[in-house]
Amino acid sequence: MHPWKRIRRLPFYLLVGFCFLLTAWWIYFQVRASHQIEESRLQAVQAHTHEALVDFAPVIRRQTDPTERRVGIDKILVDEYPELELISDAEAGSNEARLAPFLSKEDPLHDLVVRVRPSTIEGIQKDARSTRLMFFTEGGTFLIVLLVGAFLFYRSVSRELALHAQHELFLRSATHELKTPLAALKLGLQSLAQDRMDPERSKGYLELLEGQVDRLEFEIENMLLIAEGREKELEMQPGNPAEDVTAVIDEFAARAQAREVELELSGEGHSLLVMRDPLTFRQTLRNLLDNAIKYSPLGETVRIEIRKQGRQATISIKDAGPGVPHSEREKIFDKFFRGQTGSSDALGGTGLGLFFAAETMQAHRGSIRLEHDDGPGSCFTLTLPLLDSAASEEAR
Ligand code: ADP
């Protein structure tokens, strides 16, 4: 991964780290609290052994018969202290409450001890364990929710930032794209106004100015069509895509000549019939041809091929330019995206051309794709569904 990308992800990693810390902190405090609760519950039941001894005292004093005494003590245990039991001194540990201080040595109950039932202690410990397990599970869920939230937050912030950066780039490019032909027009008109130019030169000037007007028209058309967006109804008409291609090639003849690029049309398109909206379809072709000429080295050829493939008409526009780098192939159809090749102000562009082309082809139920052969240059292919023969007849 590029180091810059790693740095850009730093806030995300920090956010993830923060989520882990927050969860760990939460689990730690909850588990600590559960240990304290367990401890105090154990101490509380342990204290019952001494309370029970105090309750046994009247029975011991009242009952002289050892059997009756035992019955009285057992009744108190069952009724009021079900968590306690009486055991012999030999089995007891150090913590238990002994009956010895209340009885004479000869008394058969002398060696008895009151203690908390092991099952009560196990119950308290089991409760504490399941509470802790619950905290770990809750902590895990909490962490997952936090991580998903952090991811969504990071993604939306980075999208916003990328969009903002793209808008800035677009504004810069659009200003450049609109101002450059205007400046050239102004300069040309000022030169023509001086009236000292011979007719041959002024004709050349006028052609140049016309080229600038075409350029302005082309960019403004792109922007307006994109601004209208999907709300605009397409006016679908049957037609031969070869006618659209030829018309657009004619429009670009002067521009291609100025860059010494040859436009070569081939293929079997003359009998094809498709449904398309001439306005947006031709603007799509203009965008592709404009890029092919723009990114072609001087003196190269742009090859346009129209073909029938199954039930589809395809139009390929292939140039001998630098091609689209692998890393950009996914992004070139995004709005405002301008790649390495298109980043030079000298070449111009707004990053809208391919976005518009993709939207238009989708609305036509066709497609646009960049062919992935690893040779030099780029080849963009448009596909449109052919009208079947019955529909073609009807359309005619
Ligand atoms: P732009 O106005 O920048 O040409 P596009 O949407 O038409 O905008 O194209 C987007 C990007 O795709 C360009 O900036 C460029 O990097 C790349 N691209 C498009 N067409 C070609 C091509 N024929 N050869 C090389 N790169 C191309």
Side-chain angles (χ1 to χ4, degrees), residues 18-122:
F18 174 72
C19 293
F20 271 101
L21 273 181
L22 197 67
T23 314
W25 177 82
W26 185 83
I27 292 178
Y28 169 74
F29 276 97
Q30 298 293 351
V31 167
R32 211 175 70 155
S34 111
H35 274 296
Q36 282 167 353
I37 291 170
E38 181 187 0
E39 195 67 26
S40 57
R41 279 187 72 192
L42 286 173
Q43 278 171 7
V45 286
Q46 200 62 47
H48 287 177
T49 54
H50 297 283
E51 287 167 23
L53 279 189
V54 175
D55 285 356
F56 297 161
V59 179
I60 291 170
R61 258 185 265 120
R62 214 172 35 241
Q63 303 290 353
T64 44
D65 175 30
T67 321
E68 288 297 319
R69 198 179 274 161
R70 176 76 200 237
V71 170
I73 288 176
D74 281 344
K75 187 166 171 0
I76 293 177
L77 279 180
V78 172
D79 290 349
E80 291 174 40
Y81 299 100
E83 73 277 17
L84 304 183
E85 64 181 356
L86 274 178
I87 53 161
S88 83
D89 195 9
E91 295 171 58
S94 57
N95 233 355
E96 280 78 20
R98 288 157 208 286
L99 264 67
F102 297 88
L103 300 164
S104 63
K105 266 212 160 102
E106 298 74 43
D107 196 293
L109 304 185
H110 179 270
D111 287 339
L112 288 185
V113 164
V114 191
R115 74 161 186 192
V116 180
R117 286 179 191 280
S119 60
T120 308
I121 295 178
E122 270 165 30

Side-chain angles (χ1 to χ4, degrees), residues 143-296:
L143 180 65
I144 291 171
V145 171
L146 275 181
L147 287 179
V148 170
F151 172 71
L152 293 178
F153 173 74
Y154 172 79
R155 200 177 60 171
S156 75
V157 168
S158 26
R159 272 191 191 158
E160 276 305 311
L161 289 177
L163 212 65
H164 182 71
Q166 281 176 342
H167 270 122
E168 298 247 303
L169 187 68
F170 167 70
L171 268 182
R172 220 186 63 207
S173 322
T175 315
H176 177 265
E177 282 302 279
L178 300 180
K179 277 188 132 181
T180 311
L182 274 178
L185 272 172
K186 191 171 173 193
L187 201 73
L189 288 171
Q190 279 168 350
S191 310
L192 284 172
Q194 282 173 0
D195 210 20
R196 281 195 297 270
M197 223 177 260
D198 62 77
E200 200 51 38
R201 244 183 105 198
S202 47
K203 190 167 169 260
Y205 249 87
L206 283 171
E207 274 168 12
L208 259 170
L209 295 187
E210 200 185 341
Q212 296 299 334
V213 173
D214 287 346
R215 183 95 214 125
L216 262 180
E217 209 182 353
F218 169 73
E219 290 300 349
I220 290 173
E221 189 72 16
N222 254 350
M223 290 179 202
L224 289 181
L225 285 172
I226 286 174
E228 282 175 4
R230 288 169 193 216
E231 279 136 48
K232 187 184 181 306
E233 282 282 312
L234 294 182
E235 288 175 22
M236 300 298 266
Q237 294 168 19
N240 185 345
E243 281 173 20
D244 298 313
V245 173
T246 321
V248 172
I249 288 180
D250 288 346
E251 282 175 33
F252 276 80
R255 183 160 151 70
Q257 208 179 10
R259 288 190 56 82
E260 295 173 28
V261 171
E262 199 182 324
L263 302 179
E264 188 185 286
L265 175 63
S266 66
E268 46 178 297
H270 300 284
S271 59
L272 303 179
L273 198 63
V274 295
M275 288 299 278
R276 85 285 186 247
D277 167 41
L279 181 71
T280 50
F281 183 59
R282 286 190 182 193
Q283 188 69 8
T284 296
L285 291 171
R286 282 186 201 108
N287 281 322
L288 293 184
L289 209 56
D290 181 61
N291 281 347
I293 297 171
K294 184 163 75 177
Y295 299 123
S296 275

